[in-house]
Amino acid sequence: MAEQSKKWVLMVTAQAPTNIAVIKYWGKRDENLILAINDSISVTLDPAHLCTTTTVAVSPSFNQDRMWLNRKEISLAGGRYQNCLREIRARARDVEDEKKGIKITKKDWQNLHVHIDSYNNFPTAAGLASSAAGFACLVFSLAKLMNVQEDNGRLSAIARQGSGSACRSLFGGFVKWVMGKEENGSDSVAVPLVDEKHWDELVIIIAVVSSRQKETSSTSGMRETVETSALIEHRAKVVVPKRIIQMEEAIQNRDFPTFAQLTCSDSNQFHAVCMDTSPPIFYMNDTSHRVIGCVEKWNRSEGTPQVAYTFDAGPNAVLIARNRKAATLMLQRLLFHFPPNSDTDLDSYVIGDKSILKDAGIQDINDVEALPPPPEIKDKVPAQKYKGEISYFICTRPGRGPVLLTDESQALLNPETGLPK
Ligand code: DP6
C-alpha cells in the first residue's frame, strides 16, 4: 500500500431496513454488550418506504474516522460506534481492486481510517426506529468494504452492540433475536424465521402522531424498568418465552387471529411495564389510545381481528392489517377519525404505498370529508373527529434485508474526495 498514491478512495454503499417488534425487547442483562433479558420477534419493513442508506469509504488520505448523519457531521466517540468499528476491523481481510490498482492487506485496516455517510429516507424526528436501520447499515456496509466473511447472523451480533433492535434489521421478513446464554454475547444473534414473501398479504400502516414531547430514550427507559419494575421479571421469564413459541407458530401458519392477539397483548404489556417503572414512563399519548380504541372496536365488530397494533417507545401506532382489503377499510376509518389539518394536502398526508389510498376510493380531501362514520360506531354516540392529531400515515409492507447498492450514482460520498457530495 505504501507505494501507492495517497489519492485513491475505495467505497461501498448499502441500504438496510428498519423493523418493528411484535414481541418486544425491553431490558438488558449486559449494558455494554447489549444483551437482552428476553427473546424478541420483529417484522422488517419495506426499505422502499423506510430505510437507511450508508456509504463507507476508505482512503490513505483520511486522517481520522468521520461520520455524517442526514448531512450533518456527528461524533463517533460514543462507545456503541467504537464497539462496532472495533469488531468489524478485527474481522477485516485483504481487499484488492485491480481496476483501481488498490491493495489493502488485513493488517492495513488497523491504521486506515473510514468516512461514513448515512441517510434515512424518513424523517428522523418522527421517532421511528432509525437506530435499528442505522446500525444495521453501518455494520453491513463496513463488512462489505473490509471484505469481512461473516454471515449476516454473525454480523447481527456486531450490529446488536450498536443498538439491540438493530440486530434484527440484518434480515428481511420475520426475525427472531435470540437472547443467548453466553457471557460474551456470541450466541445473542438474529435468526431469520421466514422471508418477506412468506406472508406477503400483510399491509402495514404507520400513524405518525403529532405534537411530540421529549421522550425517555429506550436505553435509559429499559434500564429504569429493570431496576424498578416488579412486573418485568415475570414478563421476561414467564410471559415472553411462551409468547415467542406461540408467535413463531402463528407466523409459520399465517394465523392472523393468533398473530394479532399476541402482537397487541405484547405491545400493551410492554407499555404496562413502562408504567410500572418508577418514576412511570408514558410513551403512548391520548392519540395512541384513540387509535387502539378504533382498532379494538372494529376488530370486535368483525368478530375476528382485521388489524393488529403495536407501539414502540413513542406514541406512533404501527398497524398490521391482515390483507389489502383490511388495510383499505382501516385507512378509511383512520382518515374519518383523524382528518388532516386544513393546510395539509392528501399527497403528503398518506405517503409510501399510495395504492391503498386509491383502493379506499380517496382521491382528494373532499373524499376524506365525505367519509361516512364507520358502521361499528353506535348511532347514540356521536362519531368523534380528531383533526390534526396525526402528522401523516406511511403505508408499507414486510420487506427484505440489507443489500449492496452497486450503482455508483447512489453513493453519498464523493468518489474523488471521500467527503459528502
Ligand atoms: C421498544 O434497540 O432502541 O423498540 O438497545 O438501548 O439501543 P438499545 O435500545 P433499542 O430498544 C428498542 C425497544 C423497542 C422494542 C423493540 O424494538 O424490540
Side-chain angles (χ1 to χ4, degrees):
M1 196 184 75
E3 310 95 70
Q4 291 170 12
S5 106
K6 274 207 144 198
K7 284 232 172 89
W8 61 263
V9 175
L10 187 68
M11 50 188 220
V12 159
T13 301
Q15 190 184 65
T18 182
N19 70 78
I20 177 81
V22 291
I23 300 290
K24 305 289 185 194
Y25 145 54
W26 196 251
K28 296 182 183 71
R29 59 188 169 90
D30 185 310
E31 290 273 341
N32 179 47
L33 286 170
I34 310 193
L35 301 176
I37 57 170
N38 57 254
D39 294 351
S40 54
I41 294 178
S42 61
V43 56
T44 298
L45 305 183
D46 189 342
H49 308 125
L50 294 146
C51 74
T52 298
T53 303
T54 301
T55 299
V56 289
V58 61
S59 168
S61 65
F62 298 165
N63 51 21
Q64 55 169 324
D65 292 339
R66 293 177 75 181
M67 175 160 181
W68 293 264
L69 176 61
N70 295 326
R71 310 195 196 286
K72 266 178 55 192
E73 184 155 15
I74 61 161
S75 164
L76 280 172
R80 291 174 170 211
Y81 282 114
Q82 289 303 314
N83 288 348
C84 290
L85 282 164
R86 186 194 60 244
E87 292 302 309
I88 287 286
R89 274 202 174 97
R91 292 164 176 79
R93 292 168 158 245
D94 294 359
V95 171
E96 194 168 354
D97 187 322
E98 281 183 10
K99 263 208 307 232
K100 293 189 176 156
I102 303 168
K103 209 169 165 183
I104 308 170
T105 68
K106 192 173 156 65
K107 231 177 62 226
D108 292 336
W109 285 110
Q110 298 301 325
N111 304 312
L112 283 166
H113 294 289
V114 291
H115 283 182
I116 303 159
D117 194 347
S118 206
Y119 179 79
N120 298 327
N121 71 347
F122 55 93
T124 315
L128 301 163
S130 56
S131 68
F135 277 105
C137 208
L138 174 76
V139 167
F140 184 82
S141 55
L142 283 173
K144 299 298 163 205
L145 179 74
M146 299 187 185
N147 193 21
V148 170
Q149 293 297 305
E150 261 88 342
D151 61 20
N152 283 12
R154 305 270 20 119
L155 294 182
S156 78
I158 303 176
R160 189 201 73 228
Q161 297 174 55
S163 183
S165 52
C167 74
R168 298 185 310 237
S169 275
L170 264 301
F171 296 102
F174 283 90
V175 185
K176 170 155 97 164
W177 171 13
V178 181
M179 60 181 280
K181 290 193 203 65
E182 299 295 334
E183 225 149 272
N184 66 8
S186 58
D187 58 350
S188 186
V189 296
V191 183
L193 296 177
V194 295
D195 71 14
E196 63 277 18
K197 286 179 222 89
H198 170 79
W199 201 350
D200 63 356
E201 278 201 286
L202 299 178
V203 176
I204 300 169
I205 301 176
I206 304 171
V208 178
V209 171
S210 318
S211 74
R212 309 161 40 76
Q213 337 112 269
K214 183 95 190 80
E215 284 146 19
T216 312
S217 77
S218 300
T219 307
S220 56
M222 67 176 82
R223 188 187 305 128
E224 288 158 21
T225 301
V226 170
E227 281 167 6
T228 63
S229 165
L231 299 180
I232 187 70
E233 185 167 311
H234 178 70
R235 165 171 167 77
K237 297 235 165 89
V238 181
V239 181
V240 174
K242 276 194 209 136
R243 283 188 181 160
I244 289 280
I245 296 168
Q246 295 168 332
M247 182 58 96
E248 281 191 59
E249 202 176 291
I251 291 167
Q252 286 298 343
N253 300 333
R254 299 183 201 88
D255 169 0
F256 192 80
T258 308
F259 170 81
Q261 189 266 319
L262 289 167
T263 298
C264 299
S265 301
D266 204 68
S267 172
N268 290 336
Q269 187 173 77
F270 152 53
H271 291 278
V273 297
C274 288
M275 203 186 295
D276 189 49
T277 300
S278 174
I281 306 168
F282 305 102
Y283 285 124
M284 292 195 284
N285 64 16
D286 289 351
T287 310
S288 318
H289 294 150
R290 291 198 244 281
V291 173
I292 293 182
C294 167
V295 174
E296 289 280 0
K297 198 175 270 171
W298 182 40
N299 281 344
R300 210 160 290 267
S301 78
E302 290 290 332
T304 181
Q306 304 299 308
V307 170
Y309 55 82
T310 186
F311 295 77
D312 272 352
N316 299 334
V318 179
L319 305 170
I320 309 176
R322 66 182 315 159
N323 54 30
R324 272 187 82 89
K325 179 87 186 118
T328 305
L329 294 168
M330 182 77 248
L331 190 60
Q332 286 171 338
R333 282 163 171 79
L334 291 167
L335 290 173
F336 173 82
H337 290 294
F338 305 98
N341 271 329
S342 22
D343 58 352
T344 311
D345 61 4
L346 193 60
D347 203 46
S348 51
Y349 197 54
V350 180
I351 63 172
D353 178 4
K354 289 176 193 275
S355 66
I356 309 285
L357 197 60
K358 240 198 227 141
D359 281 12
I362 297 166
Q363 263 144 23
D364 54 39
I365 212 72
N366 297 324
D367 297 330
V368 174
E369 277 158 17
L371 281 167
E376 64 272 18
I377 296 178
K378 302 283 177 296
D379 289 341
K380 277 168 266 163
V381 194
Q384 304 257 28
K385 294 215 181 212
Y386 305 98
K387 196 176 182 147
E389 287 198 6
I390 286 178
S391 310
Y392 56 95
F393 296 100
I394 309 171
C395 295
T396 186
R397 62 178 83 85
R400 62 164 153 73
V403 290
L404 272 180
L405 300 181
T406 47
D407 175 1
E408 280 198 15
S409 69
Q410 286 173 292
L412 303 175
L413 294 167
N414 180 314
E416 310 286 324
T417 62
L419 289 167
K421 277 181 179 168

